[in-house]
Amino acid sequence: MTIDENVQEINRTMWSYGEYRHVADLLRPGAEELVARLAPEAGTRHLDVATGNGNVALLTALRGCRVTGLDLTDEFFPDARQRFAEAGAEVELHRGDAQELPFADASFDLVTSTYGIQFAPDHAASSGETARVLRPGGRIGMCNWTARSWTAHFQEILSAYFPSPNGHQGQPMLWGSPDHLAELFGDDFTITSERRELFYPFATAEDLVAFFENCFGPCIAARNTISPPARWKELRAEMAEMTEGFHTTDERGTGVPVEYLLVVAEKKDTR
């Protein structure tokens, strides 16, 4: 495919804003659950797509896997390398696009992505590339936000005030639909999935909105760009009202449950 380099650069820059490592801390339980479910053996050739600061890559490297991490935004890599070094883990990092992976066919035994690949604009290209670099009999593991999740509502509000460049963002929450995944990956894969939840522990809805306003790149890009400033206040108020609808107190504490789809897809070996 032909990648729109202008849109690619805009997305890369947008995700680089803020302190993503704090957002990644909220996502870590999903990474831990995915790796536990996959239980890769030592020596597994593993590619982690949209690796961020390395939540999944670190876990599989500590299991003895041969890990490669790829992300469009290499500003995450210094933090990732520090984490790997402190843990004594080895991970090879590449800047690259999920829609055009710089690896040969059948290079990996395992490909993962947690809350990342679904934001690549061209779903067919990114799923096709993932399938291409995976060997027959290999597995794909993903955590994808669902269409009814807090994240989906957050993105819908953000996009209404701050549209993606040239409408190129696609519909990322479709990756949280088993039917969409079956259509993307086709008969070459056997797919299992289940709905799971993260829990964002914030005392109030306002606290959660303030956190994302200061740490999450796309949110910061919107705040810096939207004009006039009153529009940002409108957006922020809408996000706080929406978050109030999810905010709860239960055995996990006080905060916001965030639904995602945990996916394991095995590539059929037809040789």
Side-chain angles (χ1 to χ4, degrees), residues 196-247:
R196 306 292 296 169
E197 280 187 351
L198 295 179
F199 191 77
Y200 293 171
F202 290 89
T204 67
E206 168 62 28
D207 289 342
L208 189 153
V209 172
F211 172 86
F212 274 82
E213 179 184 24
N214 289 291
C215 295
F216 186 61
C219 207
I220 295 169
R223 185 187 65 195
N224 292 344
T225 304
I226 288 175
S227 181
R231 288 277 290 166
W232 173 253
K233 292 181 180 179
E234 292 173 11
L235 181 155
R236 200 180 185 287
E238 195 170 333
M239 282 189 174
E241 182 180 2
M242 177 274 294
T243 301
E244 285 284 2
F246 284 88
H247 200 256

Side-chain angles (χ1 to χ4, degrees), residues 8-269:
Q8 184 187 61
E9 184 61 21
I10 290 172
N11 283 333
R12 188 197 67 78
T13 301
M14 178 177 66
W15 283 96
S16 72
Y17 294 146
E19 293 286 342
Y20 180 78
R21 59 192 175 91
H22 297 311
V23 179
D25 288 342
L26 293 178
L27 308 182
R28 193 173 300 165
E32 292 170 348
E33 181 164 11
L34 179 65
V35 173
R37 186 71 58 88
L38 293 166
E41 298 179 351
T44 297
R45 299 171 300 165
H46 172 212
L47 171 64
D48 188 38
V49 177
T51 193
N53 70 340
N55 276 345
V56 171
L58 176 58
L59 293 170
T60 60
L62 292 175
R63 285 174 169 260
C65 297
R66 295 155 51 194
V67 187
T68 301
L70 177 137
D71 205 290
L72 185 64
T73 307
D74 54 0
E75 281 85 353
F76 299 148
F77 290 173
D79 183 37
R81 291 191 176 100
Q82 181 177 347
R83 296 180 70 195
F84 301 150
E86 290 173 353
E90 292 187 12
V91 176
E92 182 179 306
L93 293 173
H94 293 263
R95 175 178 166 180
D97 194 310
Q99 302 165 120
E100 194 172 72
L101 295 174
F103 308 109
D105 295 358
S107 296
F108 298 97
D109 308 303
L110 173 66
V111 180
T112 60
S113 185
T114 49
Y115 321 106
I117 195 172
Q118 69 184 116
F119 291 100
D122 190 325
H123 298 194
S126 51
S127 60
E129 282 291 271
T130 302
R132 179 185 64 78
V133 301
L134 185 69
R135 68 163 174 83
R139 293 178 297 165
I140 297 170
M142 295 181 288
C143 296
N144 298 329
W145 304 123
T146 67
R148 66 187 189 186
S149 66
W150 174 87
T151 305
H153 287 75
F154 175 92
Q155 292 289 345
E156 183 178 4
I157 293 170
L158 192 62
S159 297
Y161 288 82
F162 186 63
S164 299
N166 300 321
H168 281 337
Q169 192 56 63
Q171 299 181 58
M173 303 308 155
L174 285 174
W175 284 74
S177 162
D179 289 342
H180 186 63
L181 295 177
E183 182 179 340
L184 284 178
F185 290 99
D187 294 337
D188 291 339
F189 282 82
T190 300
I191 301 174
T192 59
S193 63
E194 64 177 284
R195 296 181 186 274
R196 306 292 296 169
E197 280 187 351
L198 295 179
F199 191 77
Y200 293 171
F202 290 89
T204 67
E206 168 62 28
D207 289 342
L208 189 153
V209 172
F211 172 86
F212 274 82
E213 179 184 24
N214 289 291
C215 295
F216 186 61
C219 207
I220 295 169
R223 185 187 65 195
N224 292 344
T225 304
I226 288 175
S227 181
R231 288 277 290 166
W232 173 253
K233 292 181 180 179
E234 292 173 11
L235 181 155
R236 200 180 185 287
E238 195 170 333
M239 282 189 174
E241 182 180 2
M242 177 274 294
T243 301
E244 285 284 2
F246 284 88
H247 200 256
T248 188
T249 298
D250 58 24
E251 68 279 0
R252 295 170 291 186
T254 298
V256 172
V258 188
E259 186 181 79
Y260 67 92
L261 193 72
L262 190 151
V263 181
V264 178
E266 183 172 348
K267 188 175 183 179
K268 297 175 183 178
D269 190 346

